[in-house]
Amino acid sequence: MARLCVALDTSKEKALQLVDQLKEYPLIYKIGYKLFIPYGVELIKEIQKRVPNSEIFLDLKLHDIPNTVRNGVFEASQLGVSYLTVHAMGGKEMISAAAQVKGNTKLLGVTLLTSHDEEYLKELSITLSKEDFVLKLAQIALSSGADGLVCSAHEVEFLKKELGNFLAVVPGIRPQGKSSDDQKRVATPKEAVDKGADILVVGRPIVQSQAPRKVVEEILTQIGF
Ligand code: C5P
């Protein structure tokens, strides 16, 4: 069954308030630069204290030389985070080094960022299509020991067909299938799950809602909880 992950792209106070409001639901909480850089480990511990057995997704998109990334992944696994992102562009050696020390933390490969398009590939003199480039990076990540990939609802079906099953973490989800912000190609929770998403990442529709519990319930109902 698919899971719901709330992207806590907000202030520390708001994040903790949300965690308190939502603690009865089986959620994953995603922490990125906005919270991790100022509040880091203490915030992770605070969430773990408030919601025992909570699962945390640390979205740091690591990309450096293998030894440096290995050190970072080891430290993250010691914090007890359940998911951690690394850039597939870091290559086989980097991801293999990360996989050796990941412990119970699931490593998620990030392929081509959605902010990049075919123009960017041209600038880099990469002649592959965007789709083939994403597939190549996905193959590198999974064959080097990543547990899953961050991908869009529109890529997940194709990637699972080409690569077999993997943990597919999918952002760009909107409960009503419409976006009023910078997400351009969105999918509803049901569409994403039907295409093969295993974890749905939802930020603003929950974080900015006046009734976050209602939105969470709506999404969980859509995905069959
Ligand atoms: O607010 P929203 O639901 O758009 O948040 C989606 C989350 O997923 C954000 O934390 C964003 O950084 C992340 N993400 C994304 N698209 C990607 C990779 C990550 O929206 N391609």
Side-chain angles (χ1 to χ4, degrees), residues 7-9 30 59 61 110 112-115 150-152 171-174 181-183 201-205:
L8 294 174
D9 300 324
K30 182 166 92 73
D59 189 12
K61 299 187 176 69
V110 173
L112 188 66
L113 294 172
T114 39
S115 50
V150 179
C151 55
S152 78
I173 304 294
R174 293 294 175 264
D181 48 55
D182 62 352
Q183 291 285 11
V201 180
V202 183
R204 285 162 290 182

Side-chain angles (χ1 to χ4, degrees), residues 126-160:
I126 291 167
T127 50
L128 293 177
S129 68
K130 199 168 132 191
E131 199 175 58
D132 285 341
F133 189 59
V134 167
L135 180 61
K136 184 96 224 157
L137 290 171
Q139 244 160 1
I140 289 172
L142 295 176
S143 67
S144 310
D147 299 278
L149 299 169
V150 179
C151 55
S152 78
H154 309 282
E155 291 166 343
V156 62
E157 208 168 16
F158 162 73
L159 289 174
K160 284 199 170 180

Side-chain angles (χ1 to χ4, degrees), residues 2 151-154 156-157 160 168 170-174 186-201 222-223:
C151 55
S152 78
H154 309 282
V156 62
E157 208 168 16
K160 284 199 170 180
V170 175
I173 304 294
R174 293 294 175 264
V186 298
T188 65
K190 170 132 188 9
E191 282 163 355
V193 169
D194 287 348
K195 286 173 192 273
D198 299 296
I199 297 180
L200 305 177
V201 180
Q222 264 200 49
I223 62 178

Side-chain angles (χ1 to χ4, degrees), residues 12 17 27 29 39 65 72 109 121 132 139 175 186 196 201 211 218:
K12 177 187 172 194
Q17 194 190 343
L27 303 173
Y29 293 103
Y39 307 111
I65 58 171
L121 297 186
D132 285 341
Q139 244 160 1
V186 298
V201 180
E218 258 171 43

